[in-house]
Amino acid sequence: MVKTLDKFEHAFELKSFRGKFQLVKRTIKPANEAPSRKNQDPVILVLDPPAIKAEKIACDLIEKAMLPFHSLYFLEWSARWWEIFSSSEAQIRVQYESDAWEKLGIKDRLLSNPGNVICFIGLAPGEGLAEIELLKKILREDKTKTVQYIAIDSSQRLLRDHINLLKETLTSEINEGRLICAGVIADIFYGLRDSINRVRSELVNRGTITHENDFLPPSSSLLATYLGNCLGNNSQDQETEIFSIIHSTFPNRPLEFLVGVSVMRATPDEYKRNWDDFLLQTPKHFLEINKLLDSNRPSNSHDLPEFNLPKNGDANRCPPVVPESYIVRHRIKGQIYRFYYKLAYDLKLSLELYKDLRPLPSGTLILLYNIVKYDMKTLVEGIETCGLFKIHYDESYHQIVDTLNGTREYAVFSAFSEK
C-alpha cells in the first residue's frame, strides 16, 4: 500500500507511529527546494561483508568437533527457527531487563554526566526487545538529549528484523531527530572497532553527520548491552574478554555495560532434547545443500542420513544433557550443560583447501551448543578482579523464567566505569 500511494502521489501517505499504521496528509516540498544534508537517513543498515563464513564454520566442525555459537543463526532458515525458540523468553525478560535502567542505578550514573548525547550499543541483540524498551526509557527521561544507537550482530536476518521493529516503534523520535540508529554486521569479538568506523563513515557519506566522531562522540556517556545468556555461551573461558574489548574500545568516558546471564541453582536444571532439529540445521545444510561436508553413508543405506532424526528423536544420536562443573580463570564457577550429537558415519570436509584435516570418525560426539549457568558471586568477583569495571549487582534482583524446557533463573548486572 505504501508503494501504491507513493507511486500515484496520493494526497495521503501511510506512516507508522509506535508500531501502528496511520494515513496522514502527504508533505510535499517545493520543487526548487534542495534536500538538506543535515539529519538525512537517520537509520542505516550495513549488511556487507558477512561476519560469518560457511567455510570457517564447516572447518571448525571438523577440526574441533564443535559448532561455534553463532552458527545457530547463521542461515536465514536457522535464524527463523532461532526467533521461534527464543521469542517467548525474550518477551518474558524484556521488562525485567529494561527495569535495570532504574534498579541498578544506570539512569542516575549516566544522566548525571553533562552533554546532550547518550550513546547506546546493543551487542548481539537478536530480536532486541529489551534494547528498544531501554531506548524508550532514555528518550522519555530527558527530551533535550539525542540518543545515538548502534546494533551489532552476526546474523543478517536478526539484525534486519531488529532495526525494522525499532523504526516502527520509534518513528516519531527518529523523525524529530532525537534518535539516530544503525545496524551493522560484525563479529563483536574480532570486528567491534572496525564495525563502528564503517557506520561512522556511512553516516558521513549520507550526510547524517558532518564528522565521523559526531557519532558516538568520545566525550559522551555510553550504555552497552549484552543480554540473553550470550556471556559464556559463545566460547568457554571467555567471560572477561568482552569486558576488556568494551573498555579498550570506549576509553575515558562514563560507561555502563548491562549484561544478562543464566544463574546456577541449588538443584541442577533439566533439559529435554526437544530442539535438536533446530540445532542440526546448519550442519545438515552444509551436508545436503552446499556440499561443504561429505558423509561416508552408503547410497543404498535405509538408515536416516546424517543430521536427520526420527520424529520422536534419537537418544543414541542425541545423548542426554548432563550438568558438569565449570571452573575457569579468575575463579569464575558454575555449571555447563552440553548438547552433543553422535555421528552415525564418518564425516569430512569436501573443500580442497582443507584436505589435510582428518575426517571425524563415526561415533564422534560433536558439540552443538552449550549453556553456562553461573555462580553469581564468583562471576562478579572474577570480573572485578580484572580491575577495569566496578560492578553493580543486586542478588535480590533475579528473574524466574518459565520455559518450554522447565523453570530457569536469570540475572542482570551492570559493569560501569566513571570518567
Side-chain angles (χ1 to χ4, degrees):
M1 183 179 288
V2 172
K3 292 181 179 178
T4 302
L5 293 172
D6 290 345
K7 179 179 179 181
F8 292 98
E9 298 182 352
H10 195 278
F12 288 86
E13 59 183 338
L14 199 61
K15 290 287 188 180
S16 172
F17 296 95
R18 299 190 179 277
K20 295 181 179 180
F21 287 97
Q22 299 178 23
L23 278 173
V24 297
K25 192 172 181 179
R26 184 181 297 277
T27 302
I28 303 176
K29 291 185 178 181
N32 61 353
E33 182 179 330
S36 169
R37 286 183 57 82
K38 184 65 176 176
N39 292 329
Q40 282 186 353
D41 301 318
V43 179
I44 69 168
L45 194 55
V46 182
L47 298 178
D48 291 314
I52 309 168
K53 293 185 177 180
E55 293 80 5
K56 179 63 168 65
I57 295 175
C59 182
D60 283 348
L61 173 60
I62 298 300
E63 186 176 24
K64 304 174 183 177
M66 65 177 293
L67 286 171
F69 176 62
H70 52 235
S71 70
L72 291 180
Y73 40 81
F74 162 69
L75 304 167
E76 289 279 326
W77 182 251
S78 58
R80 176 178 173 272
W81 278 50
W82 175 268
E83 289 175 324
I84 293 171
F85 278 106
S86 65
S87 61
S88 59
E89 287 189 41
Q91 289 280 1
I92 293 170
R93 293 196 309 261
V94 63
Q95 196 63 50
Y96 166 77
E97 290 171 330
S98 62
D99 282 350
W101 171 250
E102 294 93 3
K103 296 279 189 181
L104 299 183
I106 300 172
K107 167 187 167 182
D108 293 336
R109 288 191 295 271
L110 276 189
L111 295 185
S112 65
N113 294 293
N116 295 323
V117 175
I118 297 289
C119 304
F120 187 174
I121 296 182
L123 301 177
E127 299 92 332
L129 302 182
E131 281 79 4
I132 292 174
E133 194 62 31
L134 281 163
L135 282 168
K136 290 181 186 177
K137 285 177 177 281
I138 298 170
L139 289 162
R140 283 198 302 260
E141 291 296 342
D142 187 343
K143 295 192 176 182
T144 67
K145 291 186 182 294
T146 298
V147 177
Q148 297 181 352
Y149 173 71
I150 180 172
I152 305 174
D153 209 306
S154 58
S155 167
Q156 293 184 344
R157 180 189 175 100
L158 296 180
L159 187 63
R160 282 198 310 268
D161 289 352
H162 171 52
I163 293 298
N164 286 335
L165 180 59
L166 186 154
K167 286 166 62 178
E168 287 188 359
T169 307
L170 297 169
T171 301
S172 296
E173 290 80 359
I174 292 171
N175 290 340
E176 292 167 3
R178 297 187 57 226
L179 174 61
I180 297 174
C181 54
V184 60
I185 288 290
D187 183 326
I188 61 175
F189 285 91
Y190 300 103
L192 181 59
R193 196 185 302 270
D194 177 65
S195 66
I196 292 169
N197 290 335
R198 284 160 56 203
V199 168
R200 283 171 167 160
S201 178
E202 184 66 21
L203 287 169
V204 170
N205 291 338
R206 297 190 183 194
T208 307
I209 59 176
T210 305
H211 305 288
E212 291 192 355
N213 274 348
D214 291 343
F215 184 69
L216 309 183
S219 59
S220 297
S221 301
L222 185 140
L223 168 65
T225 55
Y226 194 46
L227 301 170
N229 310 322
C230 288
L231 185 69
N233 292 353
N234 184 69
S235 181
Q236 296 171 39
D237 197 17
Q238 202 176 36
E239 283 77 8
T240 56
E241 183 177 349
I242 188 65
F243 293 89
S244 177
I245 291 171
I246 292 295
H247 190 270
S248 64
T249 306
F250 305 105
N252 304 317
R253 68 160 82 209
L255 173 61
E256 297 276 343
F257 190 18
L258 179 63
V259 180
V261 297
S262 288
V263 178
M264 183 179 73
R265 302 195 295 166
T267 302
D269 294 333
E270 294 183 7
Y271 283 92
K272 302 173 185 176
R273 297 301 301 256
N274 57 2
W275 34 314
D276 290 309
D277 284 334
F278 160 62
L279 296 177
L280 291 169
Q281 282 292 309
T282 296
K284 182 179 178 181
H285 180 85
F286 288 167
L287 180 63
E288 298 179 0
I289 306 300
N290 63 4
K291 310 298 184 183
L292 289 175
L293 299 175
D294 186 26
S295 170
N296 76 340
R297 174 181 176 269
S299 58
N300 60 352
S301 174
H302 296 292
D303 293 333
L304 284 171
E306 199 71 87
F307 305 126
N308 288 264
L309 301 175
K311 189 173 182 180
N312 296 322
D314 187 332
N316 182 49
R317 290 199 190 187
C318 299
V321 178
V322 179
E324 303 170 60
S325 294
Y326 181 77
I327 304 175
V328 292
R329 285 175 293 178
H330 308 293
R331 299 180 180 178
I332 295 173
K333 300 178 183 178
Q335 290 177 331
I336 186 167
Y337 295 71
R338 295 184 171 96
F339 292 72
Y340 286 110
Y341 172 85
K342 186 164 73 172
L343 285 177
Y345 308 96
D346 292 355
L347 188 70
K348 67 178 182 178
L349 275 174
S350 57
L351 298 169
E352 185 68 19
L353 182 63
Y354 300 101
K355 63 181 180 181
D356 293 336
L357 283 179
R358 290 191 299 175
L360 292 176
S362 63
T364 299
L365 288 176
I366 293 176
L367 180 62
L368 302 176
Y369 180 55
N370 62 246
I371 299 172
V372 176
K373 299 178 182 291
Y374 292 102
D375 176 326
M376 291 302 298
K377 183 174 183 293
T378 65
L379 177 61
V380 169
E381 290 176 352
I383 295 168
E384 286 187 324
T385 297
C386 297
L388 302 177
F389 290 96
K390 299 177 182 177
I391 305 294
H392 190 140
Y393 162 68
D394 184 347
E395 63 181 9
S396 67
Y397 189 57
H398 284 204
Q399 184 184 37
I400 302 300
V401 181
D402 291 320
T403 75
L404 295 174
N405 233 326
T407 301
R408 307 286 181 251
E409 190 167 345
Y410 181 70
V412 292
F413 62 91
S414 184
F416 64 97
S417 63
E418 297 169 310
K419 187 174 180 181

